[in-house]
Amino acid sequence: MPAKLTISPELSKTTLPYCKPIIFLCLISTVLISIASRKDAYLSSQRAIFSLLNHALQIMPSEIWYNITYMGDALILIPFLSFICLINTRMWAAIFGAIPLAFSLSHLSKSFFSIPRPAAVLDHQNMTIIGDTLTAYTSFPSGHTITIFTAMSAIVFVGFKETLISRELNSGLLLAVFLIASIVGISRVAVGAHWPADIVMGAIVGIISGLSGEYISRKYLNWWHWKIEKKAYLGCFILTFSFILFASMISGKLPELIIIWTAIIISALVGTYITLKTLLDNET
């Protein structure tokens, strides 16, 4: 008589805690990909909702949207979140561990689908454009949305896995984190850079990438343990981001925005604190 293979509920919950949400996200992404594969159908499905949202979102001042949208730029987001190192180093490592998948999926998708951005096909008189006018055929999916959702997802998944957060706070934290990520994603429509479906697909790619970052940082420790063992290097690494941001802004490559100044200050303070603390600890 053949032996029966049984899987205990405890093992199933431990090994596949995100199985159902991932399946749901894959179903949504399949629908979006099938539409995006037909460029004309994709554009026709997005024009009306983009115009509606782009107009409605101008209820907030353009300066606010301009600052918010830069939270989806990795060069600003990584130094902005450098304080995470002081809370949990693996969270920050998970963000970097998620970058390969996020970067690959973003660039491959943009090249393969070649969906034009709204400003490339719509009359500029009938839409609001904040910042640069983007007309390249790289709209699907939104790279800024991928970036913010990747980082936020990596942080949340590490927090849940290491039970750093009580169950009572899980729902509240999840809601707050993904609300922030969603606002950054929506800002891409507000500034006239992306179609709404680009944001949805970017969020899905970001969540899956964030999950991959949590897995890589948990299963493969050697590549990021230097951040714990050689904290002076970590401090210098963070300070380098602060310097690059400052130099980019002074040279005019980046605008002088509050969010960018905030990222510079946070990374400068965190980098200096980690470096000095490590040097002082080594002397004692």
Side-chain angles (χ1 to χ4, degrees), residues 204 239 252:
I204 293 172
L239 283 172

Side-chain angles (χ1 to χ4, degrees), residues 105-115 137-141:
L105 291 178
S106 176
H107 284 265
L108 288 174
S109 298
K110 286 176 179 291
S111 299
F112 179 78
F113 292 103
S114 296
I115 300 293
Y137 280 51
T138 56
S139 194
F140 183 85

Side-chain angles (χ1 to χ4, degrees), residues 86-264:
L86 306 176
I87 301 170
N88 184 283
T89 307
R90 192 165 84 83
M91 285 183 175
W92 217 53
I95 295 174
F96 283 91
I99 288 175
L101 182 61
F103 180 85
S104 300
L105 291 178
S106 176
H107 284 265
L108 288 174
S109 298
K110 286 176 179 291
S111 299
F112 179 78
F113 292 103
S114 296
I115 300 293
R117 291 177 183 264
V121 295
L122 299 179
D123 186 349
H124 295 182
Q125 300 298 323
N126 298 326
M127 62 182 289
T128 299
I129 298 174
I130 302 171
D132 296 332
T133 300
L134 305 177
T135 57
Y137 280 51
T138 56
S139 194
F140 183 85
S142 166
H144 281 61
T145 307
I146 291 175
T147 299
I148 188 67
F149 269 90
T150 295
M152 295 295 102
S153 299
I155 291 170
V156 167
F157 288 138
V158 170
F160 287 175
K161 204 70 179 180
E162 296 190 355
T163 61
L164 299 172
I165 308 151
S166 63
R167 291 190 176 185
E168 292 76 16
L169 294 175
N170 275 356
S171 298
L173 175 69
L174 190 66
L175 179 62
V177 166
F178 284 102
L179 179 61
I180 293 170
S182 297
I183 291 173
V184 175
I186 291 170
S187 75
R188 301 306 289 163
V189 177
V191 302
H194 280 285
W195 306 103
D198 300 342
I199 312 306
V200 178
M201 191 63 196
I204 293 172
V205 172
I207 292 170
I208 294 173
S209 298
L211 183 59
S212 76
E214 187 282 321
Y215 177 83
I216 290 171
S217 67
R218 175 165 44 88
K219 291 294 184 180
Y220 306 99
L221 305 178
N222 292 336
W223 69 273
W224 66 269
H225 251 225
W226 65 268
K227 296 178 181 179
I228 297 176
E229 297 166 356
K230 300 178 180 179
K231 287 195 173 182
Y233 292 164
L234 174 60
C236 293
F237 180 67
I238 295 171
L239 283 172
T240 301
F241 269 104
S242 180
F243 174 77
I244 292 172
L245 265 187
F246 183 74
S248 298
M249 195 168 62
I250 294 300
S251 65
K253 293 180 180 179
L254 288 174
E256 292 193 31
L257 297 174
I258 293 174
I259 194 67
I260 298 177
W261 274 114
T262 303
I264 291 171

